[in-house]
Amino acid sequence: NYFMNVEKIELAVVKSAIELGKWLNLAAYKVAKSNVEGNNFEKIREQKAKALIEIESSIFSARSGDALIFQAITRAGRASGLDAPAEAEIFMTKAATGEISLDTAKHLLIAFSRVKNKFEPRNSVPNEEVIENQEIDEDLSEAQE
């Protein structure tokens, strides 16, 4: 029976994976914003999708938990200039030590990286006001202190 082998994951680990996934999404958005002049929502969305696909590709190709963490975080961090959130440490540790399976770690990270970050406009409608980079940078610097 398929459900007999369901892996039970601690809530703290899942919450930690959520934080890392949100950060990956934010990193992709920051990369997209830096690659597009002005507030061309369609181009930003295209560039963000491209950045997320590159991150997902590095996650899929990981052969171990520590490689998964290394590949995902270094790719996103280098491209965006952001540090991963401290809240991600529990997930990173469990994935790196094999306390959660590699497949489970990949699934969690990819799924949660697709959750829209709070800095990105809710609807990419051309007339919508966009949060300025300065506000994003201020919020991020506070979050990383």
Side-chain angles (χ1 to χ4, degrees), residues 21-109:
K22 285 182 186 177
W23 175 77
L24 291 172
N25 186 282
L26 176 61
Y29 177 67
K30 290 277 290 181
V31 169
K33 284 283 289 176
S34 70
N35 289 334
V36 176
E37 287 188 34
N39 293 322
N40 184 329
F41 298 105
E42 189 61 37
K43 289 214 181 284
I44 291 170
R45 189 178 319 127
E46 289 172 11
Q47 288 295 311
K48 180 183 172 191
K50 181 180 176 185
L52 280 171
I53 288 168
E54 289 176 9
I55 292 168
E56 288 172 355
S57 176
S58 69
I59 292 169
F60 276 126
S61 68
R63 300 283 182 227
S64 65
D66 62 322
L68 166 72
I69 299 306
F70 172 76
Q71 290 170 206
I73 290 177
T74 55
R75 178 175 289 263
R78 285 179 188 154
S80 68
L82 301 174
D83 292 333
E87 296 84 3
E89 287 181 31
I90 296 169
F91 171 77
M92 293 167 60
T93 301
K94 298 284 185 177
T97 61
E99 289 185 54
I100 57 174
S101 72
L102 178 59
D103 282 343
T104 297
K106 287 179 180 183
H107 297 161
L108 289 171
L109 207 48

